[in-house]
């Protein structure tokens, strides 16, 4: 069924074909699975898949060190070039021409290959451009793949050993291969801009419906809500792959590999044989689950060459803590589910220091329920700190992980505020991050 609105077709029960461009990481999951299958079917299949992959030379990648964590930058491009005339006539793509990085995720693998984590990067993160000005992360891809790798490494501080880019056909092919993905929605989702029209409850998503779901920015948090949906869908996709026991069906997996390899671009050091080895190492980690987080940040209107635009500015201490864990290949601490964050009331004491507004905004865009309570009885000094009120120690851990802040005990004799689950006391580091090249 298909409805037509001001933004074009709306995906409902089994809708018309929509454009697959949003969830590059799902394809990585299939690539990992397919790599294991190729290991069992011989060199001829490996070579066939290798021949399908587009390979590019990239400058600036970090050297791969034996016994060290591995970091793969996964990019989904929104370039229109691969679409057929039929697809172009059916899809609502807007007037944008050229190409941008529509999905940017860093997959971080621990040195012993026992842990995998995904770090999602919002499209509107502020980074530097080649002229010394500022740009949105999504725009950087238009300057070339090397430029995107550069800002992820230099501006955002994440190591990048390998690069994987997925074509616009990749998403839909992946969902088709696994036969759809089962999703459970807590509430209805209607978004004519993305084509989403779903009731609450559990349902099987076709490729078109899956695309409409992960494209949606419906909600008060915009792109952060969309990233949350992408991560929820990716978890469901991984569960589907595990449930189907694809690793036990080499014949089917060869077909997956053929579908995947023709829609992937990699750096010239990431061969199929290396994917096979990595796939074998990661089977257990994928089965145990993958922690997925988003770079913490807050919105700001900034001047970009005389034009005021809305950007997302990374929250300094939170980004630095995330950088440190990723570089070390450590498991990322949980930030809680979106529902758990929504139910966490956070009070913010300023201690007379600036930065309370930045902390509050970072928590809001992270999905928490913060409230600035004014000057409190505690002075955090140089470092913003988190205090867990009795019975809310786990929630304090979610807040601390998002802010990159330590959890401390409340001093005796201090009267803590009522009606909050977690208390944040701002320090000198709140809002300390500076824009690139400024």
């Amino acid at each position: 069924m298909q409805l037509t609105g001001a933004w074009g077709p709306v995906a409902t029960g089994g809708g018309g074909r929509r454009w697959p461009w949003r969830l590059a990481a799902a394809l990585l999951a299939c690539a990992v699975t397919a790599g294991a299958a190729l290991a069992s079917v011989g060199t001829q299949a490996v070579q066939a898949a290798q021949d399908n992959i587009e390979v590019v030379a990239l400058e600036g990648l970090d050297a791969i060190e034996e016994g060290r964590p591995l970091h793969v930058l996964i990019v989904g491009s929104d370039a229109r070039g691969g679409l057929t005339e039929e697809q172009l006539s059916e899809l609502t793509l807007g007037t944008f021409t050229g190409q941008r990085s529509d999905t940017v995720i860093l997959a971080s693998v621990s040195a012993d290959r026992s842990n995998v984590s995904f770090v999602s990067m919002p499209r509107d993160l502020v980074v530097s451009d080649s002229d010394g000005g500022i740009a949105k992360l999504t725009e950087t891809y238009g300057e070339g793949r090397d430029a995107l790798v550069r800002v992820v490494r230099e501006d955002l501080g994440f190591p990048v050993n390998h690069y994987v880019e997925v074509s616009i056909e990749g998403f839909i092919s992946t969902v088709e291969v696994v036969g759809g993905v089962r999703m459970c929605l807590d509430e209805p989702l209607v978004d004519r801009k993305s084509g989403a029209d779903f009731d609450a409850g559990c349902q099987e998503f076709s490729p078109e419906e899956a695309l409409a779901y992960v494209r949606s920015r419906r909600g008060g948090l915009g792109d952060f809500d969309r990233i949350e949906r992408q991560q929820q869908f990716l978890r469901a996709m991984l569960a589907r792959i595990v449930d189907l026991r694809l690793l036990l069906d080499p014949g089917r997996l060869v077909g997956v590999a053929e579908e995947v390899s023709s829609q992937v671009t990699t750096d010239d050091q990431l061969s199929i044989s290396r994917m096979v080895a990595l796939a074998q190492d990661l089977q257990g980690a994928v089965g145990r689950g993958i922690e997925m987080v988003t770079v913490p940040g807050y919105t700001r209107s900034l001047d970009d060459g005389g034009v005021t635009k809305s950007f997302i500015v990374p929250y300094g201490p939170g980004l630095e803590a995330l950088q440190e864990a990723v570089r070390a290949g450590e498991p990322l601490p949980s930030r809680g589910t979106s529902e758990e964050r929504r139910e966490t009331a956070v009070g913010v004491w300023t201690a007379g220091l600036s930065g309370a507004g930045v902390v509050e905004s970072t928590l809001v865009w992270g999905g928490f329920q913060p409230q600035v309570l004014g000057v409190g009885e505690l002075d955090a000094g140089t470092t913003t700190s988190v205090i867990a009120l009795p019975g809310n120690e786990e929630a304090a851990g979610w807040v601390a992980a998002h802010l990159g802040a330590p959890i401390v005990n409340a001093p005796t004799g201090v009267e803590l505020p009522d009606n909050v689950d977690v208390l944040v006391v701002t320090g000198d580091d709140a809002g300390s991050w500076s824009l690139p090249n400024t």
Side-chain angles (χ1 to χ4, degrees), residues 121-133:
M121 304 179 196
R123 291 161 39 102
D124 291 347
L125 276 175
V126 60
V127 295
S128 61
D129 63 19
S130 58
D131 298 323

Side-chain angles (χ1 to χ4, degrees), residues 29-337:
C30 280
V32 167
T33 308
L38 288 172
S40 68
V41 298
T43 58
Q44 184 175 358
V46 171
Q47 187 58 53
Q50 182 70 70
D51 291 343
N52 284 339
I53 292 178
E54 180 184 359
V55 176
V56 295
L58 293 179
E59 300 177 357
L61 293 175
D62 291 287
I64 299 169
E65 300 179 39
E66 189 70 26
R68 295 290 300 162
L70 185 69
H71 310 284
V72 182
L73 187 65
I74 307 164
V75 178
S77 168
D78 71 353
R80 274 77 163 152
L83 294 174
T84 66
E85 291 296 327
E86 180 182 0
Q87 287 173 317
L88 287 170
S89 67
E90 291 178 353
L91 303 176
T92 304
L93 305 179
T95 58
F96 171 76
T97 59
Q99 57 185 14
R100 297 168 297 190
S101 53
D102 197 70
T103 300
V104 181
I105 297 175
L106 185 72
S108 180
V109 185
S110 63
D112 63 4
R113 306 302 187 248
S114 64
N115 176 73
V116 185
S117 59
F118 285 172
V119 178
S120 296
M121 304 179 196
R123 291 161 39 102
D124 291 347
L125 276 175
V126 60
V127 295
S128 61
D129 63 19
S130 58
D131 298 323
I134 61 174
K136 295 182 178 183
L137 179 65
T138 185
E139 299 167 342
T140 307
Y141 181 81
E143 299 181 28
R145 299 179 178 101
D146 287 311
L148 183 59
V149 170
R150 176 187 63 80
V151 298
V152 171
R153 293 183 65 249
E154 297 178 7
D155 293 352
L156 299 177
F158 294 112
V160 181
N161 302 116
H162 283 305
Y163 177 94
V164 175
E165 179 184 313
V166 181
S167 75
I168 57 177
E169 296 90 354
F171 178 89
I172 206 165
S173 296
T174 304
V175 181
E176 284 176 342
V177 164
V178 300
V181 175
R182 184 171 177 79
M183 294 290 298
C184 294
L185 278 59
D186 293 332
E187 56 188 29
L189 176 64
V190 178
D191 184 355
R192 290 184 179 275
K193 289 186 177 181
S194 77
D197 187 2
F198 306 117
D199 296 327
C202 296
Q203 51 211 287
E204 196 82 11
F205 276 10
S206 69
E208 295 79 14
E209 292 166 333
L211 176 64
Y213 178 76
V214 300
R215 287 184 62 207
S216 177
R217 299 177 69 163
R218 175 66 65 185
L221 302 181
D223 199 40
F224 287 96
D225 280 327
R226 178 169 57 180
I227 288 174
E228 181 69 30
R229 292 188 182 99
Q230 291 178 348
Q231 292 175 349
Q232 290 171 349
F233 183 82
L234 180 52
R235 290 186 181 95
M237 169 72 84
L238 292 170
R240 177 73 167 175
I241 290 171
V242 171
D243 289 344
L244 289 175
R245 303 174 66 84
L246 289 180
L247 291 176
L248 303 180
D249 189 347
R252 185 175 181 185
L253 281 174
V254 170
V256 174
E258 290 174 352
E259 289 285 340
V260 169
S261 61
S262 64
Q263 298 160 4
V264 170
T265 299
T266 73
D267 66 271
D268 56 4
Q269 300 302 307
L270 185 58
S271 64
I272 283 287
S273 60
R274 185 168 182 80
M275 290 183 192
V276 168
L278 184 60
Q280 292 173 321
D281 289 340
L282 293 182
Q283 289 180 46
V286 171
R288 286 190 296 273
I290 296 176
E291 188 65 35
M292 303 180 194
V293 305
T294 305
V295 171
Y298 53 95
T299 59
R300 281 292 181 272
S301 294
L302 303 173
D303 180 79
D304 181 11
V307 179
T308 300
K309 297 181 181 178
S310 178
F311 289 84
I312 294 174
V313 178
Y315 176 70
L319 176 60
E320 291 166 6
L322 192 54
Q323 291 167 348
E324 183 177 345
V326 166
R327 291 190 191 112
E330 297 173 351
L332 300 180
S334 173
R335 273 73 170 163
T337 66

